[in-house]
């Protein structure tokens, strides 16, 4: 993959999303009552929307990659050290306040998308939902965003730009402003981890932990006290959100600072010296352009869809 192919892939991804949304809408209009598409089918379908267009572009152009292997070289699923995997767990927990902060700030303006789906999610057996949301989903998304997209953009030599742009596409992929807020930050930090390790395995571990703990907490709250159901009915007041933001702001600053130290150690452990300095210096690289016409069109369409959905459903 490279910048141009990434642009084509992302545009196809967005157009596929539109096609599926249109198809589902037509199905609901014509289907008999009680024939709704379940949450499991929806989640699997959403991941296929990400994977199929990107893999199609990769397979069509694979002959141009020479001896590169799709899974290992193009998508970046390479082995990492056990010590790196363990430090990745620490890195993940240090970044949780940052994700919570972004989520809380977004909730001042938009609804919590995951919380709105909680009722449907809790109707599904825990093991099946954990498998889909914590294993299948992260694997598909890492394969696309830290694998094909980040590594494709990285070929330009502008590692700094590749990290930011792959994070942006990861945020837009969620197609709503609530999830996009924290997905942008997490996408950047996962791309940073992918660069530190030279592998998509580490960001998959991080993604697995984030989604896994979210699913576990959701079911645990519902099982023990029904707290989740009560929160969904009442919601958080603006004052409570502002208080949470002030607390998590401090935690996020401290946690993220330590996380940057951890990812620097991880890079050194994987043989990459002067890690952050190299990324920062790469901004001046004038190799292949990251942007393309297809990429810009895809980004504009994604933003237009998010704004349209916000206006219609708020």
């Amino acid at each position: 993959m490279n910048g141009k192919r990434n642009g084509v892939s992302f545009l196809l991804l967005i157009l596929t999303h539109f096609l599926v949304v249109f198809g589902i809408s037509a199905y609901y209009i014509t289907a008999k009552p009680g024939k709704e598409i379940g949450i499991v089918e929806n989640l699997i379908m959403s991941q296929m929307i990400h994977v199929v267009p990107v893999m199609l572009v990769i397979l069509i152009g694979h002959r141009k990659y020479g001896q590169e292997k799709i899974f290992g070289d193009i998508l970046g699923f390479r082995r990492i050290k056990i010590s790196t995997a363990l430090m990745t767990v620490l890195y993940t927990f240090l970044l949780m306040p940052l994700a919570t902060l972004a989520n809380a700030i977004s909730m001042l303006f938009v609804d919590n998308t995951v919380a709105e789906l909680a009722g449907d999610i809790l109707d599904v057996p825990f093991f099946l939902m954990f498998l889909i949301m914590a294993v299948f989903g992260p694997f598909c998304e890492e394969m696309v965003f830290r694998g094909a997209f980040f590594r494709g953009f990285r070929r330009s030599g502008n590692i700094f730009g590749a990290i930011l742009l792959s994070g942006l596409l990861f945020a837009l992929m969620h197609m709503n402003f609530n999830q996009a807020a924290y997905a942008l930050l997490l996408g950047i930090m996962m791309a940073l981890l992918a660069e530190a390790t030279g592998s998509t395995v580490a960001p998959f571990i991080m993604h697995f932990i984030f989604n896994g703990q979210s699913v576990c907490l959701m079911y645990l709250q519902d099982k023990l006290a029904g707290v989740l159901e009560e929160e969904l009915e009442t919601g958080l007041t603006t004052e409570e959100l502002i208080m949470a933001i002030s607390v998590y702001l401090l935690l996020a600053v401290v946690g993220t600072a330590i996380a940057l130290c951890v990812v620097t150690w991880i890079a050194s452990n994987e043989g990459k010296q002067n890690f952050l300095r190299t990324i920062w210096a790469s901004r001046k690289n004038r190799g292949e352009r990251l942007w393309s016409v297809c990429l810009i069109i895809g980004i504009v369409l994604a933003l237009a869809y998010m704004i349209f959905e916000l206006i219609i459903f708020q």
Side-chain angles (χ1 to χ4, degrees):
M1 294 287 279
N2 56 27
K4 290 182 178 179
R5 291 192 182 92
N6 278 352
V8 172
S9 297
F10 187 70
L11 179 58
L12 285 176
L13 187 156
I14 297 301
L15 293 176
T16 303
H17 176 86
F18 289 167
L19 182 63
V20 171
V21 169
F22 176 79
I24 291 176
S25 299
Y27 172 81
Y28 277 122
I29 293 173
T30 58
K32 296 179 181 180
K35 294 292 185 178
E36 294 83 4
I37 299 174
I39 185 69
V40 172
E41 292 81 2
N42 266 307
L43 290 174
I44 293 175
M45 193 183 306
S46 69
Q47 295 305 328
M48 290 300 97
I49 290 173
H50 308 149
V51 172
V52 172
V54 175
M55 289 305 300
L56 183 63
V57 173
I58 289 176
L59 291 173
I60 289 175
H62 182 239
R63 60 185 178 181
K64 298 180 181 180
Y65 292 112
Q67 299 300 315
E68 288 185 324
K69 297 178 180 179
I70 292 178
F71 200 71
D73 297 322
I74 299 174
L75 299 180
F77 283 96
R78 298 171 175 171
R79 290 182 181 180
I80 58 175
K81 297 178 180 179
I82 294 177
S83 54
T84 294
L86 293 174
M87 291 299 281
T88 296
V89 176
L90 175 60
Y91 179 75
T92 303
F93 281 101
L94 287 169
L95 290 173
M96 284 185 177
L98 180 66
T100 305
L101 174 66
N103 186 38
I105 292 175
S106 72
M107 287 171 61
L108 290 172
F109 309 99
V110 294
D111 295 330
N112 188 320
T113 303
V114 176
E116 290 181 341
L117 296 174
D120 293 329
I121 291 173
L122 292 171
D123 287 337
V124 178
F126 168 77
F127 178 77
L128 177 58
M129 190 53 63
F130 186 87
L131 187 64
I132 293 173
M133 293 186 68
V135 180
F136 179 68
F139 176 77
C140 291
E141 291 174 14
E142 292 312 308
M143 180 169 63
V144 171
F145 292 93
R146 257 63 61 185
F149 283 161
F150 168 66
R151 294 175 69 82
F153 287 132
R154 192 187 184 284
R155 289 173 181 265
S156 70
N158 185 349
I159 305 171
F160 182 82
I163 289 173
L164 295 182
L165 190 51
S166 63
L168 174 63
L169 299 189
F170 181 59
L172 294 176
M173 171 272 296
H174 288 83
M175 291 294 189
N176 66 81
F177 285 105
N178 170 244
Q179 289 179 291
Y182 55 84
L184 173 63
L185 299 177
L186 291 179
I188 290 172
M189 300 309 287
M190 284 191 281
L192 194 65
L193 183 60
E195 175 62 22
T197 60
S199 173
T200 311
V201 172
F204 167 73
I205 294 172
M206 178 177 169
H207 205 153
F208 165 78
I209 294 172
F210 261 104
N211 284 21
Q213 63 88 27
S214 178
V215 174
C216 289
L217 285 176
M218 195 179 296
Y219 279 83
L220 184 63
Q221 286 178 324
D222 181 68
K223 189 75 173 179
L224 294 181
V227 175
L228 181 63
E229 184 177 351
E230 183 179 338
E231 287 181 353
L232 288 175
E233 292 176 357
T234 61
L236 293 174
T237 65
T238 302
E239 291 75 15
E240 289 172 331
L241 276 174
I242 292 175
M243 184 178 297
I245 289 169
S246 62
V247 172
Y248 277 99
L249 177 61
L250 177 60
L251 293 174
V253 169
V254 175
T256 304
I258 300 174
L260 290 174
C261 296
V262 171
V263 77
T264 302
W265 183 93
I266 289 173
S268 178
N269 190 48
E270 293 291 331
K272 292 192 174 185
Q273 307 301 326
N274 300 318
F275 169 63
L276 294 178
R277 186 181 303 175
T278 301
I279 292 174
W280 183 250
S282 72
R283 297 174 300 117
K284 300 177 182 179
N285 191 298
R286 301 300 179 186
E288 180 186 340
R289 289 191 303 172
L290 294 174
W291 298 93
S292 66
V293 174
C294 287
L295 182 65
I296 294 172
I297 293 173
I299 290 173
V300 170
L301 288 176
L303 285 171
Y305 177 89
M306 292 163 64
I307 293 171
F308 175 78
E309 188 179 57
L310 182 64
I311 294 172
I312 295 298
F313 294 106
Q314 279 294 98

